[in-house]
Amino acid sequence: MTTQSKVNNIFYKEGQKLLVAVDCIVFGFNRGKLKLLIMERKIEPQKGKWSLIGGFVQKDESLDQAAYRILQACTGIHDMHLDQLYAFGEVDRDTGGRVVSVAYYSLINLELFEQELLKEYNAKWINIDDIPELALDHNKMANSALEALQKQASIKPIGFELLPEKFTLPQLQLLYEAIYNRKMDKRNFQKKILKNDLLIKLDEKDKSTSKKGAYLYRFDLDKYSKIKSNEDSFYIKV
Amino acid sequence: MTTQSKVNNIFYKEGQKLLVAVDCIVFGFNRGKLKLLIMERKIEPQKGKWSLIGGFVQKDESLDQAAYRILQACTGIHDMHLDQLYAFGEVDRDTGGRVVSVAYYSLINLELFEQELLKEYNAKWINIDDIPELALDHNKMANSALEALQKQASIKPIGFELLPEKFTLPQLQLLYEAIYNRKMDKRNFQKKILKNDLLIKLDEKDKSTSKKGAYLYRFDLDKYSKIKSNEDSFYIKV
DNA sequence: AATTTTAAACGTATGCTATACACTTTTATG
DNA sequence: CATAAAAGTGTATAGCATACGTTTAAAATT
C-alpha cells in the first residue's frame, strides 16, 4: 500500500451532500423586556410547533444571504445586522433527516418592525424568560444566542440596534438589565456608558415615564465607525 | 393568493443539498514560536497548494465528529480539544463548486505529536507570522482562528494544551507573548498568572535555558474543572 | 399658589487591579 | 575565582469598579 493510498483510506472521504439550514434567533426589546421572535413551524417534522425563524440554504446564496433573506421576509426589516452564532451539526438534531443548521442572531428595533407580518407568519414575540418548548434543538440555539448577546454587550455598544433612534439613559439601562437579568446601579451605569463618549445628549426630554422627564440621547454612529477599527476602544464591564 | 401560499412564495424554499466540509486550524507551540499546521492539498481545485487540514462531513457523523476524525487521522493525537470557529459559506469560496466549510481550531501539545505523520501527509508546522498563501479562503480562516485564540486566552487557561505537562513560567510567558505578538513584563505576568491559583509549583527545575534554572509548574486540572462551572473565575487581562 | 409626588440627575470615598520599573540570586562556564 | 546569563522578586501609582443618598424638575393635586 502506498503512502498516498493509505492517506485516502484513513481520512480522505468523498463528500456527501447534506441539507443546510439557517435558523435566526431574533431579539427585540420593548417596555423593559427582552423578547424573542418565534413562529409556527411550517414543515415536518414537528410542523405546527413553535420554532425559530429558519429555512434552507440555496445553492446560489451564501449562508449570510440565506439568513438575511429569511429574516427579511419574515420581519420586513432591511439592513438589519446579523451575526453568525454557531453551526449545529448533530446527526440526529433534525428528526426528519440529516440537516446541518447554521444559527444567526439579530437585534431588531421594534419600532421598525412591521406588525402585520406577525399575523401573516403566525409569529409572536415572547419574553426571554418565558420561552416555550421549541422545535428540534431550537431552545439550545436560543440559549447560546443569549450568552453570545451578553458577551457582545460588554464589548460593543449594541444598544442602538435594539432601541429607537432616540432613547433615554434609563431605557438603555433597562435594556442592559434585561440582557444580564440583574439590577444595576443607576449612577455607576451612567458613568460607564458615558465614559465611552459615544452618546450624544439631545435637548429634548422624554416625559412618557416621569414628570421630570429624561433627556434623550442618540448614538454617535460616526464616532463609532471611526473607533470600531482600533480594537477594544469600547468596553463595558458588567 | 392565500396567506399560506404567499409565505411559501416569499421565503419558504425547498432545501438543496450541499457539500459540507470541515477545516481545522491547528496551533502548536515550540521554542517560543506559535505554529500552524498546514499540509499539501490532496484534491482539486488547487491540488498541491498549502492548505489547512480538512475533509468532508459524512452523512452519519456530526460536524464535531468529522473535525475530530480528520484531525486525529492527521496528527495521531487522541482526546485533543476542538473548538468550532465559524461556518464559511460564501458561494464562490471553493472554486470547484459549492462547499460550505465549518472551521474548527485546536491547540496541540507538540510533545504528543507523532512526527512521522508529518511526512506521511506532506504536512508541516510553520511560524504563525510566516504563513504562506493557502488554498481557497484558508488564510481568512487562520486569521479568524488567531483572533479567537487571543480572546480565549484572556478568559481561559489555555496554556496547558499547548505546553508539555511540566513547564516554566518563562515558557508560559513566551506562549502568551506569541499569541498576542507583544512583549510583556515578567513580574506583572507572573502576578496575573499566579493570582488565579491554578498552577502547582514543583520541586524541579528546568535548566535547559539558563544556568540558574527555572522552576517547573503544572496546571491544577482538578481545581480547574471545579471552578470551570462558575463563570469568569479565571481571568487574564492582557 | 402651595404642596405633594415621581422619577431623573448627580458626586464621592474606598478598594482593587493594571502598570511601570530595577536589583538580587543562582550556577554553569571559563 | 570571576564572569555571564537568565530567573526571581516588590513597591508605588493611576485608573476603574463599586457602594451609597440627596437634590432637582415638573406635573398633579389641594
Side-chain angles (χ1 to χ4, degrees):
Chain A
M1 187 189 272
T2 65
T3 299
Q4 187 57 39
S5 68
K6 191 175 163 200
V7 167
N8 286 343
N9 285 346
I10 291 182
F11 96 106
Y12 183 67
K13 295 191 177 179
E14 286 290 330
Q16 300 182 356
K17 292 192 174 185
L18 311 177
L19 284 172
V20 180
V22 290
D23 288 298
C24 299
I25 299 97
V26 183
F27 293 109
F29 183 67
N30 199 14
R31 291 188 224 170
K33 295 283 186 184
L34 191 61
K35 312 232 174 206
L36 175 71
L37 185 60
I38 57 176
M39 69 189 299
E40 258 185 57
R41 188 168 159 91
K42 301 265 176 317
I43 56 168
E44 294 295 350
Q46 305 187 11
K47 184 170 174 176
K49 203 165 180 181
W50 290 113
S51 81
L52 299 172
I53 283 108
F56 291 106
V57 178
Q58 306 295 302
K59 260 199 111 161
D60 60 352
E61 66 183 356
S62 68
L63 295 172
D64 290 1
Q65 284 163 354
Y68 191 85
R69 166 176 60 84
I70 289 161
L71 188 48
Q72 183 177 321
C74 193
T75 64
I77 301 184
H78 298 259
D79 303 317
M80 85 292 270
H81 187 80
L82 272 166
D83 273 310
Q84 194 188 105
L85 175 65
Y86 196 77
F88 291 82
E90 294 303 312
V91 173
D92 58 354
R93 57 167 291 283
D94 189 324
T95 50
R98 181 70 198 277
V99 183
V100 169
S101 172
V102 181
Y104 281 78
Y105 71 99
S106 181
L107 310 177
I108 296 287
N109 180 336
L110 282 180
E111 280 195 345
L112 302 174
F113 189 79
E114 297 177 19
Q115 296 293 333
E116 65 266 29
L117 286 166
L118 283 180
K119 280 176 203 147
E120 197 169 317
Y121 291 115
N122 280 321
K124 67 171 178 179
W125 291 101
I126 47 168
N127 285 341
I128 205 69
D129 37 34
D130 210 29
I131 302 176
E133 192 186 308
L134 304 175
L136 309 181
D137 51 359
H138 289 189
N139 286 94
K140 197 170 150 191
M141 290 180 178
N143 291 335
S144 303
L146 185 58
E147 280 175 35
L149 177 59
Q150 292 178 343
K151 271 185 202 156
Q152 281 286 307
S154 72
I155 53 171
K156 272 183 172 173
I158 54 166
F160 68 99
E161 301 190 49
L162 284 162
L163 292 171
E165 208 199 344
K166 298 174 182 181
F167 53 87
T168 66
L169 293 184
Q171 265 182 294
L172 186 61
Q173 181 172 348
L174 282 173
L175 172 58
Y176 274 86
E177 289 179 342
I179 291 175
Y180 291 101
N181 194 29
R182 64 183 169 80
K183 286 276 168 202
M184 297 179 187
D185 181 86
K186 205 169 24 165
R187 289 157 292 185
N188 294 336
F189 179 79
Q190 298 201 3
K191 261 183 289 182
K192 276 189 264 197
I193 291 290
L194 294 174
K195 182 163 49 64
N196 288 298
D197 205 29
L198 283 171
L199 297 188
I200 298 172
K201 189 176 187 171
L202 305 176
D203 242 357
E204 282 174 86
K205 283 188 164 187
D206 167 37
K207 298 200 177 174
S208 62
T209 55
S210 83
K211 291 158 183 168
K212 183 179 177 181
Y215 280 104
L216 286 163
Y217 288 77
R218 61 178 180 81
F219 273 98
D220 191 337
L221 272 170
D222 281 350
K223 192 178 272 184
Y224 179 55
S225 37
K226 273 173 203 151
I227 63 167
K228 219 176 355 181
S229 41
N230 50 334
E231 74 231 35
D232 52 35
S233 35
F234 179 86
Y235 175 64
I236 297 180
K237 172 107 172 48
V238 281
Chain B
M1 187 189 272
T2 66
T3 299
Q4 186 56 41
S5 69
K6 189 174 165 202
V7 168
N8 287 343
N9 284 347
I10 291 183
F11 96 106
Y12 183 68
K13 294 192 177 178
E14 286 289 331
Q16 299 181 354
K17 292 192 175 185
L18 311 177
L19 284 173
V20 180
V22 291
D23 288 298
C24 300
I25 299 98
V26 183
F27 293 109
F29 183 67
N30 199 13
R31 292 188 225 172
K33 295 283 186 183
L34 191 61
K35 313 236 171 200
L36 176 70
L37 185 61
I38 57 175
M39 69 190 299
E40 259 185 56
R41 188 167 159 90
K42 302 263 175 320
I43 57 169
E44 293 296 348
Q46 305 187 10
K47 185 171 174 175
K49 204 165 179 181
W50 289 114
S51 81
L52 299 172
I53 283 108
F56 291 107
V57 179
Q58 306 295 301
K59 261 198 110 161
D60 61 351
E61 64 182 357
S62 69
L63 295 172
D64 290 1
Q65 283 162 354
Y68 191 84
R69 166 176 62 83
I70 288 159
L71 188 48
Q72 185 177 320
C74 194
T75 63
I77 300 185
H78 299 259
D79 304 317
M80 84 293 267
H81 187 81
L82 273 165
D83 274 310
Q84 194 187 107
L85 175 65
Y86 197 77
F88 292 82
E90 294 304 312
V91 173
D92 58 355
R93 56 168 292 282
D94 188 324
T95 50
R98 182 68 199 278
V99 183
V100 169
S101 173
V102 181
Y104 281 78
Y105 71 99
S106 181
L107 310 177
I108 296 288
N109 179 338
L110 283 181
E111 278 194 347
L112 301 175
F113 190 77
E114 297 177 19
Q115 296 293 333
E116 64 265 28
L117 287 165
L118 284 179
K119 279 176 202 149
E120 199 170 315
Y121 292 115
N122 281 322
K124 67 170 179 180
W125 292 100
I126 47 168
N127 286 340
I128 205 70
D129 36 33
D130 209 29
I131 301 177
E133 193 187 308
L134 303 175
L136 310 181
D137 52 359
H138 288 190
N139 286 96
K140 196 170 152 192
M141 290 180 178
N143 291 336
S144 303
L146 186 58
E147 280 176 34
L149 178 59
Q150 291 178 343
K151 272 184 201 155
Q152 280 286 308
S154 72
I155 53 170
K156 272 184 174 176
I158 54 165
F160 68 98
E161 301 190 49
L162 283 162
L163 292 172
E165 208 200 342
K166 299 174 182 179
F167 53 86
T168 68
L169 293 183
Q171 265 182 293
L172 186 62
Q173 182 171 348
L174 282 173
L175 172 58
Y176 273 86
E177 289 179 343
I179 291 175
Y180 291 101
N181 195 29
R182 63 182 168 81
K183 285 277 169 199
M184 298 178 185
D185 180 86
K186 207 171 21 164
R187 289 158 293 188
N188 294 337
F189 179 78
Q190 298 202 1
K191 259 184 291 183
K192 275 189 264 196
I193 291 290
L194 293 175
K195 182 162 50 61
N196 288 298
D197 206 27
L198 283 170
L199 297 188
I200 297 172
K201 189 176 188 174
L202 305 177
D203 241 356
E204 283 174 85
K205 282 188 163 186
D206 167 36
K207 296 200 175 172
S208 64
T209 55
S210 83
K211 290 158 186 168
K212 183 178 178 182
Y215 280 104
L216 286 163
Y217 288 77
R218 61 180 180 80
F219 273 100
D220 191 338
L221 274 169
D222 281 349
K223 191 178 273 182
Y224 179 56
S225 36
K226 273 173 202 149
I227 63 166
K228 220 178 352 184
S229 40
N230 51 331
E231 74 230 37
D232 54 34
S233 36
F234 180 86
Y235 176 62
I236 298 181
K237 172 109 170 50
V238 280

